[in-house]
Amino acid sequence: MAGFIGHMRSMLSARTVARQVFLLQVAIVVLLVVAAMVALVLQSRNDSEREARTRSLAVAQTFASAPGLEEALAGSDPSAVLQPRAEQARAGSEVAFIVVMTPDGVRYTHPDPDQIGRRYIGTIAPAAAGGIVRETVTGTLGPSIRAVVPVVGQNGEVIALVAAGVTSDQVSGIVEAQLPLLFGTAAGALALTTGGTALVSRRLMRQTHGLGPAEMTRMYDHHDAVLHSVREGVLILDGEQRLVLANDEARRLLDLAPDAPGRAALDLGIDPDMARLLDSGRPAADEVHVAGDRLLVVNQRPTDRDGGPPGTVVTLRDTTELQALTGRVDIARERLRLLYDAGMRIGTTLDVVRTAQELADFAVPRFADFVTVDLADPVVLGEEPAGRGADMRRVAFRGIRDDSPLYPTGSLISFVPSTPQAAGFGTGKVVMEADMAALSGWQQQDPANARRLLSYGIHSMMAAPLRARGVVMGVATFWRAEKPEPFEEDDQSLAEELVARAAVSVDNARRYTREHTMAVTLQRSLLPRALPQQTAVDVAHRYLPAQAGAGGVGGVGGDWFDVIPLPGARIALVVGDVVGHGLHAAATMGRLRTAVHNFANLDLPPDELLWHLDELVARIDEDEGEHESEGEDGSAYEDGSGAGGDGGAVAQVTGATCLYAIYDPGSRLCTLARAGHLGPVLVRPDGSAEFLRIPGGPPLGLGGLPFETVELELPEGSTLVLYTDGLVEDRGRDIDEGLELLRRAVAHPGRSPEETCRAALECLLPGRPRDDVAVLVARTRVLDTDHTAAWEVRSAPSAVAPVRAEATRTLERWGLHEEAFVTELILSELVTNAIRYGTGPIRVRLIRDRVLICEVSDGSSTAPHLRRAADSDEGGRGLFLVAQFAERWGTRYTAEGKVIWTEQIIPGQMPGRG
């Protein structure tokens, strides 16, 4: 109910003209329908009463003249005869009662038998006198409309009276029976008229756009004010292209006659081209037409696109004054476009020479016919320009022709002070020679070449210094030959903007070149300069730094490799990777490589070495984390780039990986362990290749998990391919695809390590690598029996002499007679110590490699210690003597115990050491 009331309130408070008209029409229709209903009901009631009087009189007269009535009245019991007849007649005639009575009013019949014999209620005197009575009386059956007529006998006397009547309820029932039809007709009429009113109101709503009277008045006032005060001409034409409306500005611009409204477009007396445009009715956007001495921009649009009336609306804008500025605006727009495009096309790489060439390529022919770029030599190398002289090297040239007399690229030019180039380089300001033929001093650089330039047609030049961050790095010179216009002040400002943007890119490239050179130098100094001489494996290697892209990402990184000779003619092969690029990654790589060398000198097994390396990386991360927290002072380089090429952040080492392998050519055993690194490829002598399954430990620095080793026996001539992830990872392919490509590339029998290394790089890196790459390929060798000798030694002092004798005979067979004495001394001491302090089994092995190696192994893990014995000591001098006679000595531990080894230099051979 509340919602209905609210709806009615909102309807009654409608402000739009359409709604007000709708409500008014609905109210009128409702009033008309209600009045018609009332009139119809009253008319129906009157007609029903008239019909009731007529029917009651007719029924009474008919019954009074019915045959047999007189005989029934003369009978002994008139009521018994007449009552059934009266009731039957009453039912057939649809009246409420038929009463037969005596002339004085005593009833013979009545619908209610109890009323028979009683007196009739109503007027009967006129009827008893032979007349007719019609009246409305309230009787025993209620209010009724009745008629009383006489029954005349044969003798002409009134012998009885007959009354017939219809009750008021019956009359009302007749009217009520007609009400549904009346109300239905009224509802239909109301719905029909309301629907028609709604349609009319809807159309009125569209035409008035839902506006109220006040709004329409205000809109008209505003429309009239705008139409006649706006500084733009407005014309409205109907569907037949006749002028309907023209505002004051349109009349002024077109010089229209006062009676112009109502004329056709072709009869308005305006320019024929514009008249044809208006007559065509076609859409037009910013078309320029002449109207007398004016230039008008004409726009024409149809008015019937959104259900509006047919026709067109035309707007006219006077551009006579603006036309003079159009040329300058176009030039300014073109220069803005030039600067925008320059920002997109200059500085796409971090290469100084390439950036300078991009500047030259961009400016020809859009700004100049020829462009040269000269830079100080230190800038090309990434350094600051040194000295005050104007000695520059031409690094870029571009022209509309290639036969110009300008100095070629690569030339070192010493500009004299009178030249614009020297002046611009010295002051940092643009210097312009609008008319080179005036010979204002620029020709003193090379008078002969100056004449060639003028005869070639070059007539104007402008030298713009490349200045960024307060440093002038060179000069860009713009030359014009075919363009007849000389350079002017507007060109000078454009050149300043253009060269300023290019100078920032050149300076960024210079700074990157400097840092990249420093990083490459550091990287090269930290990587192995030359692999050590050894006989365990044949080795080939490659290191490729990542190439810098447009964003400066790339350069040297933390990938590294190493080959470390170990005691017993063994060799350690190492490949590692430190996350990131730049100086920090290279320095961290050097620290890890040094640590691996130190741990390798301790002759640690691979898993233990990686464990120590993991501890070291964790400590490095802790130290650098503390350093970073202490240095949160916001310090950075002047340009805001931060410290170094890594963007200023102190990069931690966590994420470094390493693969460490030890190969023994005597036993052909290879022991490997890895920390988060990709597994190596093993290429067997028959050319089959597979990835070795090595348990993958976590990257260095994470800690918590132990490293595991894998030991396998390799056939002679097997090839191990160790690499970093930059070789197999690429944005365009999955890493598994890269690994499979590597396996197929190296799977070939009979290849040398160098050929295998080259094949892997050619297959996986055909272009410039996005990440640095390290590859180490090692083909295994085996020490044959002619270079080794081994004996089992009994755990008894008497076994020392036979060992010395066998060793002497072996050395004589190898041609090492001069080494026999020292070797006997060393073996005597080491074997005696093993028998005295160690446990069995005891073994002795001699190896003739680039040095003479003696190894004594036992089952004890107790290591001997070198000490200097006092004069009063009876022992303790054995190891001291061994250390004096041997070049090197040491101890390594095995699963069975330990091995004490010594190395002696063989005369005429250079030992290979790590």
Side-chain angles (χ1 to χ4, degrees):
M1 186 65 182
F4 175 76
I5 294 175
H7 179 69
M8 291 299 297
R9 185 181 294 113
S10 65
M11 290 291 291
L12 293 175
S13 63
R15 296 183 177 180
T16 65
V17 171
R19 287 192 175 182
Q20 290 182 358
V21 170
F22 174 76
L23 292 177
L24 180 60
Q25 290 180 340
V26 169
I28 293 174
V29 169
V30 170
L31 290 176
L32 291 177
V33 170
V34 170
M37 281 289 298
V38 172
L40 288 175
V41 169
L42 294 178
Q43 181 65 35
S44 177
R45 178 173 294 276
N46 291 334
D47 292 343
S48 299
E49 291 180 354
R50 186 179 304 109
E51 182 184 359
R53 289 190 181 94
T54 302
R55 183 186 304 173
S56 60
L57 177 60
V59 169
Q61 289 176 341
T62 301
F63 195 85
S65 60
L69 179 61
E70 185 176 353
E71 290 80 2
L73 290 173
S76 61
D77 190 1
S79 295
V81 177
L82 295 177
Q83 177 69 13
R85 292 182 181 179
E87 288 301 308
Q88 183 178 3
R90 181 180 64 82
S93 59
E94 297 181 357
V95 294
F97 59 89
I98 297 176
V99 176
V100 181
M101 67 190 84
T102 62
D104 55 358
V106 178
R107 301 186 185 101
Y108 290 121
T109 64
H110 195 278
D112 184 6
D114 294 337
Q115 297 297 326
I116 297 174
R118 296 184 180 182
R119 285 193 175 275
Y120 172 78
I121 298 174
T123 303
I124 60 173
I132 299 174
V133 178
R134 288 187 289 189
E135 63 179 347
T136 301
V137 179
T138 300
T140 57
L141 297 179
S144 59
I145 298 171
R146 59 185 65 180
V148 183
V149 297
V151 178
V152 180
Q154 292 180 355
N155 55 3
E157 294 179 357
V158 176
I159 61 175
L161 301 176
V162 176
V166 178
T167 62
S168 298
D169 292 341
Q170 284 182 308
V171 174
S172 299
I174 294 172
V175 175
E176 291 175 358
Q178 294 176 348
L179 286 180
L181 178 60
L182 294 177
F183 280 117
T185 303
L190 181 61
L192 182 61
T193 54
T194 303
T197 302
L199 291 177
V200 173
S201 300
R202 182 178 179 183
R203 183 174 182 83
L204 184 60
M205 176 74 77
R206 288 200 304 269
Q207 292 177 346
T208 60
H209 299 283
L211 299 176
E215 293 173 337
M216 291 185 65
T217 302
R218 185 168 58 253
M219 183 188 69
Y220 176 79
D221 293 340
H222 291 172
H223 171 269
D224 188 66
V226 170
L227 191 64
H228 295 287
S229 63
V230 70
R231 291 298 303 273
E232 187 168 284
V234 179
L235 300 175
I236 298 178
L237 294 92
D238 60 17
E240 298 179 355
Q241 307 312 120
R242 293 183 178 275
L243 183 62
V244 176
L245 181 146
N247 70 343
D248 297 342
E249 184 69 7
R251 290 177 179 273
R252 184 184 71 84
L253 293 176
L254 298 179
D255 195 18
L256 296 176
D259 60 345
R263 290 185 182 181
L266 297 176
D267 298 334
L268 293 176
I270 59 178
D271 180 75
D273 289 339
M274 184 182 295
R276 284 191 292 269
L277 171 64
L278 301 183
D279 185 65
S280 67
R282 64 174 177 84
D286 294 337
E287 291 189 9
V288 179
H289 290 265
V290 177
D293 57 350
R294 297 185 179 91
L295 288 177
L296 303 181
V297 174
V298 181
N299 290 272
Q300 182 166 265
R301 294 288 184 273
T303 58
D304 57 354
R305 289 185 298 179
D306 297 324
T312 56
V313 59
V314 182
T315 60
L316 310 171
R317 187 170 66 254
D318 189 359
T319 61
T320 306
E321 298 177 358
L322 297 178
Q323 190 66 24
L325 301 176
T326 301
R328 293 186 179 181
V329 172
D330 292 340
I331 293 174
R333 185 184 298 111
E334 180 62 26
R335 290 183 174 180
L336 288 175
R337 170 60 62 180
L338 184 72
L339 292 176
Y340 174 79
D341 293 343
M344 300 296 293
R345 294 174 53 183
I346 299 176
T348 60
T349 66
L350 287 175
D351 183 89
V352 173
V353 176
R354 177 60 185 163
T355 303
Q357 187 62 48
E358 288 176 345
L359 170 60
D361 294 342
F362 176 79
V364 175
R366 302 177 67 175
F367 183 64
D369 296 326
F370 299 91
V371 175
T372 58
V373 181
D374 307 308
L375 298 178
D377 264 346
V379 174
V380 180
L381 301 177
E383 303 298 333
E384 299 280 346
R388 297 182 177 273
D391 294 345
M392 290 177 281
R393 187 173 300 277
R394 183 146 295 174
V395 297
F397 167 80
R398 183 63 183 267
I400 57 176
R401 297 192 301 271
D402 296 332
D403 57 347
S404 70
L406 296 169
Y407 294 134
T409 57
S411 303
L412 182 62
I413 308 171
S414 297
F415 291 100
V416 298
S418 61
T419 60
Q421 290 82 358
F425 187 78
T427 62
K429 298 181 179 179
V430 177
V431 179
M432 183 171 56
E433 286 285 348
D435 184 10
M436 295 175 60
L439 300 177
S440 58
W442 66 270
Q443 75 282 357
Q444 296 179 10
Q445 174 73 31
D446 188 344
N449 193 57
R451 289 190 294 271
R452 287 193 294 269
L453 288 173
L454 292 176
S455 62
Y456 188 76
I458 296 178
H459 59 84
S460 182
M461 74 168 168
M462 183 165 46
L466 291 163
R467 181 175 182 176
R469 301 179 179 94
V471 177
V472 179
M473 299 168 290
V475 176
T477 307
F478 304 92
W479 315 77
R480 280 186 177 174
E482 289 193 358
K483 293 180 184 295
E485 304 86 2
F487 287 112
E488 53 187 16
E489 292 183 1
D490 290 343
D491 296 319
Q492 180 175 336
S493 61
L494 176 61
E496 289 176 347
E497 290 285 342
L498 183 63
V499 174
R501 299 192 181 198
V504 173
S505 298
V506 171
D507 188 57
N508 288 337
R510 176 187 66 82
R511 291 159 66 88
Y512 172 79
T513 300
R514 180 185 61 194
E515 294 192 1
H516 184 264
T517 302
M518 294 172 57
V520 168
T521 303
L522 176 62
Q523 178 82 350
R524 297 299 185 187
S525 66
L526 295 176
L527 287 173
R529 299 182 181 179
L531 296 181
Q533 297 179 356
Q534 42 81 35
T535 58
V537 291
D538 294 326
V539 176
H541 61 86
R542 293 285 191 282
Y543 172 75
L544 301 177
Q547 301 298 320
V553 179
V556 297
D559 289 16
W560 56 282
F561 65 92
D562 216 336
V563 178
I564 307 173
L566 299 177
R570 296 170 302 131
I571 196 74
L573 305 174
V574 193
V575 170
D577 186 4
V578 177
V579 295
H581 296 87
L583 291 174
H584 188 275
T588 304
M589 176 273 293
R591 298 172 71 177
L592 295 185
R593 178 171 178 259
T594 302
V596 170
H597 267 273
N598 293 333
F599 294 143
N601 287 334
L602 298 176
D603 213 350
L604 299 176
D607 57 342
E608 188 173 347
L609 183 143
L610 291 180
W611 182 80
H612 284 288
L613 200 62
D614 180 72
E615 291 287 318
L616 173 64
V617 171
R619 288 196 298 271
I620 292 175
D621 283 345
E622 291 177 1
D623 294 342
E624 296 202 356
E626 295 176 358
H627 172 74
E628 183 179 4
S629 62
E630 292 173 359
E632 292 178 352
D633 56 354
S635 60
Y637 283 7
E638 181 180 352
D639 63 348
S641 62
D646 293 329
V650 180
Q652 294 192 338
V653 191
T654 301
T657 63
C658 183
L659 172 64
Y660 188 82
I662 297 177
Y663 174 68
D664 186 349
S667 62
R668 295 187 288 111
L669 291 178
C670 184
T671 307
L672 307 96
R674 63 188 179 107
H677 204 83
L678 296 172
V681 182
L682 172 62
V683 184
R684 300 188 182 277
D686 60 359
S688 61
E690 63 176 331
F691 288 95
L692 295 180
R693 297 181 179 275
I694 306 173
L700 299 174
L702 297 181
L705 294 176
F707 300 99
E708 301 182 39
T709 61
V710 169
E711 187 176 77
L712 63 155
E713 185 175 335
L714 301 180
E716 183 179 3
S718 299
T719 300
L720 284 173
V721 181
L722 288 72
Y723 54 92
T724 56
D725 56 1
L727 180 66
V728 294
E729 286 186 344
D730 188 82
R731 295 180 182 177
R733 64 169 180 254
D734 188 72
I735 187 172
D736 292 335
E737 182 182 353
L739 292 173
E740 179 60 23
L741 288 175
L742 174 62
R743 188 193 66 80
R744 289 188 299 204
V746 301
H748 195 282
R751 277 181 177 168
S752 66
E754 186 66 29
E755 293 172 339
T756 301
C757 191
R758 187 184 308 113
L761 292 177
E762 290 177 354
C763 178
L764 282 95
L765 297 177
R768 299 155 63 95
R770 295 180 179 270
D771 193 7
D772 47 340
V773 177
V775 181
L776 180 63
V777 180
R779 186 173 60 187
T780 62
R781 295 176 180 172
V782 176
L783 293 176
D784 54 26
T785 56
D786 293 338
H787 291 75
T788 62
W791 304 278
E792 293 280 345
V793 180
R794 293 180 294 105
S795 183
S798 59
V800 177
V803 171
R804 289 200 305 267
E806 288 292 336
T808 300
R809 286 192 291 271
T810 300
L811 293 179
E812 289 177 351
R813 187 172 70 251
W814 290 347
L816 302 177
H817 306 282
E818 298 178 359
E819 301 301 316
F821 175 75
V822 174
T823 303
E824 287 184 10
L825 179 62
I826 292 174
L827 285 177
S828 296
E829 179 61 31
L830 296 181
V831 173
T832 300
N833 284 344
I835 293 173
R836 180 178 298 178
Y837 303 110
T839 59
I842 301 172
R843 298 183 179 87
V844 175
R845 185 170 69 156
L846 292 180
I847 302 174
R848 180 185 177 182
D849 194 31
R850 302 184 65 83
V851 294
L852 178 61
I853 302 170
C854 298
E855 294 182 347
V856 177
S857 63
D858 63 73
S860 172
S861 59
T862 302
H865 297 279
L866 178 65
R867 66 186 181 89
R868 183 181 294 275
D871 294 339
S872 59
D873 290 343
E874 297 182 356
R877 297 177 177 82
L879 283 181
F880 180 76
L881 292 175
V882 169
Q884 293 298 314
F885 286 109
E887 179 70 16
R888 293 197 308 164
W889 78 280
T891 304
R892 72 174 182 269
Y893 295 93
T894 65
E896 294 81 14
K898 68 176 180 297
V899 177
I900 302 176
W901 54 269
T902 63
E903 290 183 357
Q904 300 166 245
I905 296 177
I906 299 176
Q909 296 191 21
M910 293 297 294
R913 297 184 180 177

